[in-house]
Amino acid sequence: MTETKALTAETIVPFLAEIFERRGATEYLGERVTMAEHMLQGAHFAEHRGEPEEIVVAALLHDIGHFSEETGGFSMEDTEDRRHEEAGARLLEPFFPAVVTDCVRHHVAAKRFLCATEPDYYGGLSEASVHSLKLQGGPMTAAEVEAFERQPHLEAILKVRRLDDEGKIAGMPTPPFAHFAPMVRRAVAARGTRR
Ligand SMILES: [Fe+2]
């Protein structure tokens, strides 16, 4: 992703908006929604429930790493995990508060965590999510669960994971990226003031 080199706190939000616009119609392989629909649905649910803006923004951007040219997208034919969550977190890290980037970085681990800790969780996963779970290492071991419980933003991470699982509804209308852009800008501004 060569464009990211020139990104600044001023250009990151238009850059993300442009990704949604230009690449958002990309198929979310194995799901019945596009990538943009998937992320917008998660953000919409979060906003509708009055979640903090950081949760809305994290849900909106959690899969942005699928657009990284370096890691490529996910496919049902994949036989190894492409680590889109790490690519996304690396893109966002310089500009967003840690809680947002932690939710992005750990949304796959959160699935593995919930599979290990909640008996009913696995049954609610989509077919594609079950397929990728295998590539991602399956449910966490007891030792991994114990380590993951120490994540400083555990509650937010799990919340965004559940929004991720919910945002797979074919044809559900949502507001566009532009609706959420002011929140995204405020998140970037909040990171700036903590430097
Ligand atoms: Fe997702």
Side-chain angles (χ1 to χ4, degrees):
M1 219 173 195
T2 48
E3 311 103 288
T4 59
K5 282 186 190 133
L7 285 173
T8 67
E10 283 69 47
T11 59
I12 181 69
V13 184
F15 176 78
L16 294 169
E18 204 250 329
I19 290 181
F20 268 75
E21 183 128 330
R22 188 166 45 80
R23 308 272 316 274
T26 306
E27 199 186 341
Y28 185 7
L29 274 160
E31 304 288 0
R32 295 172 303 149
V33 288
T34 66
M35 287 304 309
E37 284 169 340
H38 169 56
M39 295 197 282
L40 288 165
Q41 285 180 15
H44 173 68
F45 287 135
E47 183 185 34
H48 193 71
R49 290 170 199 159
E51 295 291 355
E53 288 195 355
E54 61 207 27
I55 298 291
V56 180
V57 170
L60 180 71
L61 301 176
H62 77 274
D63 269 339
I64 203 74
H66 275 303
F67 296 115
S68 160
E69 309 303 348
E70 285 159 6
T71 50
F74 165 80
S75 147
M76 286 296 269
E77 276 72 54
D78 283 352
T79 52
E80 62 179 283
D81 181 40
R82 293 169 185 261
R83 303 282 297 169
H84 73 281
E85 69 277 23
E86 189 57 38
R90 276 203 308 269
L91 169 68
L92 301 177
E93 208 153 41
F95 311 109
F96 288 85
V99 58
V100 172
T101 44
D102 275 2
C103 289
V104 174
R105 173 166 282 121
H106 300 298
H107 76 270
V108 170
K111 176 170 69 171
R112 299 184 57 230
F113 176 85
L114 288 168
C115 282
T117 55
E118 276 192 16
D120 295 339
Y121 178 76
Y122 178 86
L125 289 176
S126 67
E127 200 187 325
S129 233
V130 168
H131 176 79
S132 58
L133 174 69
K134 288 181 204 145
L135 306 181
Q136 291 152 350
M140 281 186 174
T141 63
E144 287 174 321
V145 165
E146 209 186 308
F148 198 70
E149 277 169 343
R150 290 196 287 270
Q151 285 291 343
H153 300 119
L154 180 65
E155 204 186 322
I157 291 166
L158 297 181
K159 209 173 255 183
V160 169
R161 177 66 227 183
R162 294 182 200 282
L163 292 161
D164 180 0
D165 296 323
E166 284 181 78
K168 298 180 176 182
I169 301 170
M172 192 190 106
T174 65
F177 182 91
H179 168 81
F180 298 103
M183 285 186 211
V184 182
R185 283 194 288 272
R186 282 194 287 273
V188 173
R191 167 75 164 80
T193 56
R194 274 178 229 159
R195 262 175 204 164

